[in-house]
Amino acid sequence: MEIFNLSLPATNRFASSYLEQSADIQPFFHYRFNDRNEDMKRIAELAGRSFPRMEVAAHIEAFMKRFPSSEAVERSIEKLKQSNSVVVIGGQQAGILTGPLYSIHKIISIIKLAKQKESQLGIPVIPVFWIAGEDHDFQEVNHLFVPIDQKTDKWTYPERVIQKKMVSDIHLNKDICYSWVKNLIENFGETEHTNDLLAFAEAELVKSSTFVDFFANIIMELFKDYGLLIVDSGNREFRQLQKEFLIAQIAHHDSITSSLLEQQKQIGEKGFPITIEANEQAANLFYYDEKRNERILLEYDREIDCFVGKSGAISFSKEELLGLVAENPANLSNNVVTRPLMQEWLFPTIAFIAGPGEISYWAELKLVFEHFKISMPPIVPRLNITFLDRSVETDISELHLNLADVLIRGTESERAKFLETIKDKELEELFSRTKDQLIKQYQLIEAKTVELDQALLPLLKKNENYLLKEISFMETKLEGAVKLKHETQLKKYARVDLALRPDGSPQERVWNIFYYLNQYGLNFVNDIMALSFEFDGSHKVIAI
């Protein structure tokens, strides 16, 4: 394995400006990322705040007992208890078999940056992954893509979930799940690693009851030796630690919303799109309705001075909502606005690892943080990684393609140019003239038909279209014969796109880590972790 860097734009304009540290976006953040002086300012700020370190450490220790562990994990828990420790944190939903590659890239980023910061700053730095188990969008986590016949094929987990349950509460049927996973892995194609991978997946599934369990067991088995700690935002015990902060959110709900809207206004004035959907009624909290078995977004109705949800089907006065926090905080959960606040109240964060979309929405929260007299942490763009198989690298070379261009937009333009060069111009001209002549002759026949029997015009048009269709059919067949002569070359374009830009999307948004574990073995992650990464905003290409 070797790694090299490319300068590529981010997937959205705001994130690209952030990577460049553009003056336009600096007013929306409290810190510049990857700056030692900014780190020292952040450490000084954190030293002036208090955090429930012992309580959070105790919760994580108890929560992680059921997942793969190591001495490195135990050391991380002990570090978290130290008064001068800080964390590098990031999070993601619990996708089936870990979901798209960017979840793995985010974990790698968290661990690698934590290690770097600890070396640079001389204080304990712990990598923490926040599993968004409170999320209820099952359709985002229940599928993967498999490469079949040079195309992407979507495989959806077969068990249905109708209610808006939190992912933490979605239980797995282990027999159904294993059958689905086994079939999926076998469709990757049998290799010398397939049996080991099937055994690995089965072992982690046996220990799991829910989607979050399965996700956590896999990532901890893969990353336990690097001291990674995990929390599940959907965990009921974890919510017990959040009572004080839930009370603050409810008490200040109006200010949170007005601060958000004001910050969004300022960002919009700079010409950037807004990421978070919000209005003046937003309460930025969800209520988990146990009767309906679903998670319901709350809004604040000023006319009746109540928090309401589901078109008024449920409602709470502020006092009732505060009472719910005291009695059963597990029935309340954060939304995209308040989750970052909760995270920053619980953890002393030296860096938050963010994807392109997260960079955009954190910018909209600056005034929300300032309302509570705290600063947002340094927002560090996660590592953007592409795995480049040597055979695909050879295809790129033989096709004389530019790798950066392929990663940005695929090979469609170059493939079209190649097809243009192999066209039989004489054949194309013959078919074009034939169709033109046919149309002209039918125009003459049409004029005669009008004279003889106008009622036959629809039949005449149908006959003309039939002949044109047959000519086009023959043209397509002959074009196919030309392409067949160049099939080897065209397959190379298809292989490059499938590997690096499947369905026109970045590799990390489509493929899953299990495809690569099947190809290269369970030690694949350790091989990646042995590489050195710089958090400089460049795209990392790992040649395998």
Side-chain angles (χ1 to χ4, degrees):
M1 274 189 186
E2 62 176 314
I3 184 170
F4 54 94
N5 299 329
L6 291 176
S7 179
L8 301 182
T11 53
N12 68 65
R13 187 164 60 89
F14 189 92
S16 289
S17 296
Y18 186 75
L19 289 174
E20 297 163 3
Q21 293 292 276
S22 162
D24 282 345
I25 52 86
Q26 280 307 311
F28 308 127
F29 298 90
H30 289 111
Y31 296 99
R32 296 172 68 89
F33 77 90
N34 210 23
D35 183 321
R36 194 79 56 85
N37 293 326
E38 298 285 89
D39 284 343
M40 298 313 295
K41 284 195 288 184
R42 176 64 174 176
I43 289 170
E45 183 207 343
L46 294 175
R49 293 170 53 193
S50 61
F51 297 91
R53 294 173 182 274
M54 301 304 289
E55 294 88 344
V56 171
H59 165 76
I60 291 175
E61 187 171 23
F63 172 70
M64 291 187 67
K65 281 189 184 301
R66 66 179 186 267
F67 302 117
S69 190
S70 67
E71 291 182 4
V73 168
E74 293 170 6
R75 285 195 298 271
S76 288
I77 293 171
E78 291 307 309
K79 284 180 183 179
L80 188 57
K81 298 174 184 177
Q82 297 177 35
S83 60
N84 66 334
S85 68
V86 294
V87 306
V88 172
I89 194 167
Q92 200 65 47
Q93 295 160 297
I96 187 77
L97 291 180
T98 73
L101 280 170
Y102 58 70
S103 293
I104 297 297
H105 297 172
K106 188 169 285 186
I107 295 169
I108 293 170
S109 303
I110 292 166
I111 293 169
K112 283 292 188 179
L113 187 62
K115 186 176 181 180
Q116 286 184 21
K117 294 293 184 189
E118 185 166 278
S119 175
Q120 293 169 354
L121 303 174
I123 58 174
V125 183
I126 305 104
V128 178
F129 189 77
W130 179 296
I131 303 171
E134 66 192 14
D135 194 275
H136 59 264
D137 194 346
F138 183 61
Q139 305 307 317
E140 285 198 10
V141 300
N142 73 341
H143 63 274
L144 291 178
F145 291 92
V146 176
I148 295 179
D149 295 331
Q150 298 295 313
K151 294 179 182 177
T152 57
D153 192 39
K154 184 177 180 179
W155 284 48
T156 301
Y157 181 71
E159 286 191 88
R160 294 184 65 197
V161 176
I162 299 171
Q163 303 100 331
K164 291 184 178 179
K165 286 184 176 182
M166 294 192 297
V167 176
S168 290
D169 290 342
I170 297 175
H171 286 261
L172 291 167
N173 180 308
K174 294 181 184 181
D175 291 335
I176 291 174
C177 187
Y178 180 68
S179 176
W180 183 80
V181 168
K182 182 174 183 289
N183 198 9
L184 181 140
I185 291 173
E186 287 174 348
N187 270 273
F188 288 150
E190 187 172 352
T191 72
E192 61 183 303
H193 307 294
T194 302
N195 288 336
D196 288 342
L197 185 59
L198 285 168
F200 168 77
E202 184 177 22
E204 304 317 314
L205 178 59
V206 165
K207 297 181 286 187
S208 305
S209 298
T210 67
F211 259 73
V212 168
D213 288 345
F214 196 27
F215 177 91
N217 272 310
I218 292 170
I219 65 169
M220 285 313 302
E221 190 59 54
L222 293 174
F223 293 100
K224 63 184 179 185
D225 293 330
Y226 304 99
L228 181 69
L229 300 185
I230 57 174
V231 292
D232 170 17
S233 61
N235 180 273
R236 290 178 172 271
E237 287 74 27
F238 190 44
R239 207 69 53 75
Q240 293 291 331
L241 303 179
Q242 302 176 22
K243 286 183 178 181
E244 173 190 346
F245 309 120
L246 285 168
I247 289 170
Q249 288 177 17
I250 293 166
H252 294 262
H253 70 92
D254 260 345
S255 297
I256 290 173
T257 299
S258 61
S259 298
L260 169 70
L261 295 174
E262 174 58 31
Q263 188 70 80
Q264 289 182 328
K265 178 184 173 185
Q266 293 178 22
I267 290 172
E269 287 171 353
K270 290 281 189 179
F272 291 107
I274 300 306
T275 303
I276 300 173
E277 291 185 21
N279 57 49
E280 292 181 353
Q281 288 73 47
N284 302 303
L285 280 174
F286 282 92
Y287 171 69
Y288 196 68
D289 191 324
E290 293 177 343
K291 291 180 181 177
R292 293 182 174 85
N293 206 10
E294 65 177 303
R295 191 167 173 247
I296 300 170
L297 183 64
L298 296 178
E299 292 189 334
Y300 181 67
D301 188 326
R302 285 175 173 76
E303 290 186 7
I304 59 174
D305 191 23
C306 277
F307 295 84
V308 299
K310 201 83 172 180
S311 302
I314 57 168
S315 67
F316 302 94
S317 67
K318 182 179 285 189
E319 291 71 27
E320 288 172 332
L321 207 55
L322 291 172
L324 184 62
V325 173
E327 295 172 15
N328 196 1
N331 279 23
L332 293 175
S333 57
N334 297 289
N335 80 335
V336 68
V337 176
T338 51
R339 186 202 62 76
L341 264 179
M342 185 63 71
Q343 174 188 290
E344 295 309 306
W345 276 326
L346 291 170
F347 290 96
T349 306
I350 191 65
F352 175 76
I353 295 290
E358 289 170 308
I359 291 171
S360 298
Y361 84 67
W362 271 76
E364 297 173 22
L365 303 178
K366 186 184 180 190
L367 291 178
V368 176
F369 274 79
E370 289 181 357
H371 173 75
F372 290 99
K373 296 181 171 51
I374 59 176
S375 297
M376 293 191 300
I379 309 298
V380 179
R382 68 164 168 80
L383 297 169
N384 284 292
I385 299 171
T386 292
F387 299 128
L388 177 62
D389 184 272
R390 297 292 183 182
S391 64
V392 175
E393 188 175 16
T394 299
D395 288 338
I396 290 171
S397 176
E398 291 177 353
L399 293 170
H400 306 293
L401 300 173
N402 179 279
L403 177 59
D405 290 341
V406 171
L407 294 178
I408 294 169
R409 55 179 173 268
T411 73
E412 185 177 351
S413 175
E414 287 74 12
R415 183 177 181 274
K417 289 176 185 175
F418 174 71
L419 287 172
E420 194 64 32
T421 66
I422 65 172
K423 273 186 178 179
D424 188 319
K425 303 294 185 184
E426 184 181 356
L427 182 67
E428 189 176 19
E429 179 62 26
L430 276 171
F431 274 107
S432 179
R433 284 206 309 266
T434 300
K435 283 187 271 190
D436 286 344
Q437 290 168 5
L438 179 70
I439 291 168
K440 287 176 183 176
Q441 291 302 313
Y442 263 81
Q443 286 172 346
L444 296 174
I445 297 171
E446 184 177 339
K448 277 293 180 184
T449 304
V450 169
E451 292 177 15
L452 297 171
D453 187 352
Q454 194 164 347
L456 291 173
L457 281 175
L459 182 61
L460 179 71
K461 199 66 185 173
K462 183 178 180 182
N463 181 249
E464 179 187 3
N465 288 336
Y466 173 78
L467 292 175
L468 286 170
K469 184 179 177 182
E470 287 297 305
I471 292 169
S472 294
F473 172 78
M474 198 63 225
E475 183 180 19
T476 301
K477 284 292 183 183
L478 287 170
E479 285 176 354
V482 173
K483 288 180 182 178
L484 194 61
K485 290 182 179 180
H486 300 275
E487 185 178 20
T488 301
Q489 194 85 336
L490 291 170
K491 279 185 175 179
K492 290 178 183 178
Y493 284 106
R495 279 199 301 268
V496 171
D497 273 334
L498 190 68
L500 305 183
R501 195 77 187 174
D503 283 348
S505 297
Q507 179 194 85
E508 65 174 15
R509 303 198 69 82
V510 177
W511 301 137
N512 167 266
I513 191 63
F514 272 66
Y515 172 79
Y516 297 91
L517 297 177
N518 186 59
Q519 289 293 112
Y520 304 108
L522 287 167
N523 207 46
F524 180 68
V525 166
N526 292 329
D527 292 339
I528 297 168
M529 294 300 291
L531 299 170
S532 296
F533 295 92
E534 290 298 323
F535 288 82
D536 54 7
S538 66
H539 192 96
K540 316 299 178 185
V541 177
I542 299 178
I544 309 167

